[in-house]
Amino acid sequence: MEAAKNRVLLIEDDKVDQLVFKRLVEDENLPYEYTIAGSVSEGKKTLASKQFDIVITDYYLGDGTAFDILDSLRGSPVIFVTRAGDHEIAVRAMKAGAYDYLI
């Protein structure tokens, strides 16, 4: 019997970072059923049609920021990820309900 897989939504506009995530899941045989969205608008559309156990989102996206998807989460915890750390954004993200903020 196969164990249940965690449903993960990655919202990331960088194709290289998307590929790294895919390879990590596959190479480590992680129990994730994942979906990748490349923008805020694609993430919102995906969240409207499917429930996820967790959402991992880049902070800066081509058509907005991670804050733009918060109203669409439907109870899924969200982790903000960014290359350029900013303490003000981290505090704002945590106050807005982010589960974590990773630099």
Side-chain angles (χ1 to χ4, degrees):
M1 184 167 141
E2 188 175 321
K5 293 188 174 194
N6 296 305
R7 296 164 299 172
V8 178
L9 172 61
L10 174 67
I11 305 174
E12 172 60 67
D13 59 344
D14 186 294
K15 297 290 185 189
V16 173
D17 289 342
Q18 291 176 7
L19 182 60
V20 168
F21 182 82
K22 288 178 189 178
R23 285 190 178 162
L24 173 71
V25 171
E26 292 166 10
D27 290 351
E28 298 297 322
N29 198 29
L30 298 174
Y32 298 167
E33 175 187 313
Y34 63 87
T35 302
I36 296 177
S39 65
V40 169
S41 59
E42 190 179 338
K44 285 181 174 184
K45 183 177 178 182
T46 303
L47 285 163
S49 64
K50 189 173 178 184
Q51 184 69 31
F52 292 91
D53 296 314
I54 192 156
V55 175
I56 303 168
T57 182
D58 187 17
Y59 174 69
Y60 289 110
L61 298 158
D63 60 344
T65 70
F67 287 109
D68 297 323
I69 61 119
L70 291 178
D71 291 339
S72 304
L73 291 174
R74 300 186 323 161
S76 299
V78 62
I79 297 174
F80 282 42
V81 180
T82 186
R83 289 184 189 163
D86 182 318
H87 295 313
E88 289 179 25
I89 294 172
V91 169
R92 188 172 153 218
M94 299 306 284
K95 285 182 178 180
Y99 180 79
D100 206 347
Y101 180 91
L102 303 174
I103 299 171

